[in-house]
């Protein structure tokens, strides 16, 4: 079962902002959503009628954020209500709905890898590019079974107070224990991990895929005693707060929160590892082709900047850049200064290899 862990994590970040008064939200309903009560809501088939679009995301504060960013603008243009269901569109749930012919979702917030896997199995339909304008998203962000709704990155974050006068600036520095002594952290979930290892070992970005797993494990093995593996975004953040690590491969949204807490925590965009989340459309969705009008609307730059400011999820429409402040651009993976040395994570590679590779990675790091 695949899970958009970044989507879940972004919702947790936004919820914390609401709780601390950093962004506005209706208090009681926000707390209820954060406690997971809203997550339990699942619209029945009857409510997912053609007069509305039902979107499934990962719940929590993402319920209201998606409504503000995508739902309200679409309703203003079309008159069609958008219902956000925070049940979490795991690939197993989508398969079960389609197999039982009881589909209640019109669009799902998953990863590009999920879109490829589900498309190959016949569980989602091709994006109708006669309705959705693929030119609204950046290069490589429009695929047959999914179109990017937001972007994010894994970055090299570090504690400037502990690394000395010269800051780490590449994944090669991540492996330099002599120059930068101390523990590091990496994610136990495979996507974006071995890419950093291979870049540190001198593999050229254009030659990263297919991953040379044996080479990556050989490079990584001596570092294992100095690694702590994180399971959630909150855990990656806490490892820095507790002083357990001096640097880590973590989501840029968590690195940004750390820097807001303490400017000694920061990161480099150099060699960042860029991910694309994506809309997919389950086969047999109740609203039919109307969902593609919603997806096309969600590419409007204004809504995407709204989502960036609430959740930290980066726009997929390059025109959003013109609406951003310098503060927005500083946390946007695809801003030209940030993206110039970035590596795009291959959804197709993980669609073909993730299950086997994930098991090998867990076996390797647990030795």
């Amino acid at each position: 079962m695949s899970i958009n862990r970044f989507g879940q994590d972004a919702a947790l970040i936004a919820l914390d902002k609401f709780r601390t008064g950093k962004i506005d939200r209706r208090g009681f309903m926000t707390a209820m959503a954060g406690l997971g009560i809203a997550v339990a809501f699942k619209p029945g088939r009857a409510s997912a009628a053609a007069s509305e679009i039902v979107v499934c995301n990962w719940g929590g504060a993402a319920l209201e954020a998606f409504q503000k960013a995508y739902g309200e603008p679409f309703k203003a243009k079309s008159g069609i209500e958008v219902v956000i269901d925070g049940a979490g569109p795991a690939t197993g749930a989508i398969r079960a709905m389609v197999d039982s012919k009881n589909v209640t979702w019109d669009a799902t917030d998953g990863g590009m890898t999920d879109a490829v896997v589900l498309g190959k199995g016949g569980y989602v339909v091709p994006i109708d590019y006669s309705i959705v304008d693929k030119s609204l998203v950046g290069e490589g962000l429009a695929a047959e079974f999914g179109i990017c709704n937001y972007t994010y990155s894994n970055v090299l974050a570090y504690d400037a107070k502990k690394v000395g006068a010269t800051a780490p600036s590449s994944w090669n520095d991540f492996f330099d224990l002599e120059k930068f002594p101390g523990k590091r952290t990496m994610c136990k979930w495979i996507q974006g991990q071995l890419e950093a290892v291979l870049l540190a070992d001198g593999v050229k970005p254009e030659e990263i895929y297919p991953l040379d797993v044996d080479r990556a494990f050989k490079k990584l093995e001596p570092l294992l005693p100095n690694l702590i593996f994180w399971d959630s975004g909150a855990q990656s953040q806490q490892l820095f707060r507790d002083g357990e690590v001096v640097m880590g491969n973590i989501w840029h949204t968590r690195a940004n929160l750390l820097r807001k807490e303490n400017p000694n925590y920061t990161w480099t965009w150099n060699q960042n590892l860029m991910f694309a989340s994506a809309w997919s459309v389950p086969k047999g969705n109740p609203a039919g082709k109307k969902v593609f009008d919603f997806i096309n609307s969600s590419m409007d730059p204004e809504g995407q900047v709204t989502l960036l400011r609430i959740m930290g999820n980066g726009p997929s429409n390059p025109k959003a850049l013109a609406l951003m402040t310098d503060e927005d651009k500083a946390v946007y993976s695809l801003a030209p200064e940030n993206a110039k040395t970035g590596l795009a994570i291959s959804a197709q590679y993980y669609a073909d290899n993730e299950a086997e590779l994930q098991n090998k990675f867990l076996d390797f790091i647990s030795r």
Side-chain angles (χ1 to χ4, degrees):
M1 179 181 293
S2 179
I3 296 174
N4 183 342
R5 295 184 177 84
F6 178 82
Q8 290 176 300
D9 194 63
L12 291 172
I13 289 173
L15 180 59
D16 187 61
K17 288 182 178 179
F18 282 121
R19 282 172 170 160
T20 55
K22 294 176 181 174
I23 50 178
D24 62 343
R25 194 177 184 199
R26 290 170 294 177
F28 180 72
M29 290 303 294
T30 297
M32 296 294 278
L35 290 171
I37 294 173
V39 175
F41 165 68
K42 290 187 177 183
R45 187 179 181 82
S47 68
S51 59
E52 64 185 18
I53 303 294
V54 178
V55 174
C56 186
N57 71 2
W58 297 93
L63 292 169
E64 187 164 315
F66 274 44
Q67 191 61 260
K68 284 186 176 178
Y70 301 140
E72 291 175 9
F74 181 66
K75 184 180 180 182
K77 286 188 291 188
S78 68
I80 297 175
E81 194 81 40
V82 175
V83 177
I84 311 295
D85 178 0
T91 53
I94 295 171
R95 287 189 180 102
M97 276 190 178
V98 174
D99 285 342
S100 66
K101 301 186 186 307
N102 187 29
V103 177
T104 59
W105 299 330
D106 292 300
T108 57
D109 172 31
M112 273 292 187
T113 299
D114 293 349
V116 175
V117 170
L118 291 168
K120 186 177 180 181
Y123 291 96
V124 297
V125 300
I127 301 298
D128 189 338
Y129 287 113
S130 70
I131 300 172
V132 179
D133 182 357
K134 66 170 62 176
S135 72
L136 293 177
V137 299
E139 184 178 354
L141 299 181
E144 183 177 6
F145 295 102
I147 186 166
C148 183
N149 50 358
Y150 58 81
T151 60
Y152 59 98
S153 284
N154 279 30
V155 295
L156 172 55
Y158 58 92
D159 184 341
K161 192 173 181 180
K162 293 184 176 178
V163 297
T166 303
S169 59
S170 69
W171 293 115
N172 186 49
D173 287 340
F174 188 81
F175 282 82
D176 193 337
L177 288 166
E178 184 174 344
K179 189 176 179 181
F180 302 104
K183 299 278 188 181
R184 286 91 161 105
T185 185
M186 294 176 66
C187 184
K188 67 186 290 186
W189 308 114
I190 188 66
Q191 292 195 32
Q193 304 309 302
L194 298 189
E195 288 87 345
V197 175
L198 291 170
L199 287 171
D201 205 32
V203 178
K204 296 178 181 177
E206 61 271 24
E207 296 174 357
I208 285 289
Y209 296 107
L211 296 176
D212 186 336
V213 176
D214 291 338
R215 178 172 175 173
F217 283 4
K218 183 178 180 181
K219 173 72 173 178
L220 190 57
E221 186 161 20
L223 196 65
L224 285 178
N226 292 282
L227 284 172
I228 302 173
F229 288 88
W230 58 270
D231 185 30
S232 68
Q235 185 186 11
S236 72
Q237 203 174 341
Q238 194 62 40
L239 288 169
F240 279 91
R241 289 195 194 108
D242 293 342
E244 292 195 56
V245 299
V246 297
M247 63 179 76
N249 179 348
I250 68 175
W251 289 320
H252 83 274
T253 46
R254 289 291 176 179
N256 185 42
L257 290 176
L258 283 166
R259 188 160 67 184
K260 287 181 177 179
E261 290 176 14
N262 183 339
N264 287 324
Y265 302 131
T266 188
W267 75 92
T268 175
W269 283 108
N270 189 39
Q271 297 181 316
N272 77 89
L273 305 164
M274 299 183 293
F275 289 82
S277 190
W279 294 127
S280 289
V281 177
K283 184 179 180 181
N285 72 296
K289 284 189 174 292
K290 283 187 178 179
V291 71
F292 295 113
D293 292 325
F294 163 76
I295 290 175
N296 197 56
S297 172
S298 75
M299 302 302 158
D300 288 347
E302 293 84 0
Q304 295 203 341
V305 171
T306 296
L307 192 67
L308 171 70
R309 290 173 180 166
I310 298 175
M311 304 279 290
N313 304 13
S316 56
N317 187 338
K319 290 184 179 177
L321 193 64
L323 305 179
M324 292 183 189
T325 64
D326 288 343
E327 186 178 1
D328 295 329
K329 293 174 186 175
V331 295
Y332 177 37
S333 302
L334 300 185
E337 282 301 306
N338 303 335
K340 61 185 179 183
T341 61
L343 171 72
I345 298 299
S346 172
Q348 184 63 58
Y349 176 80
Y350 281 104
D352 294 337
N353 299 283
E354 184 173 17
E356 179 183 358
L357 190 56
Q358 180 65 63
N359 288 333
K360 289 181 69 172
F361 187 58
L362 291 175
D363 288 344
F364 176 76
I365 66 177
S366 61
R367 289 185 303 170

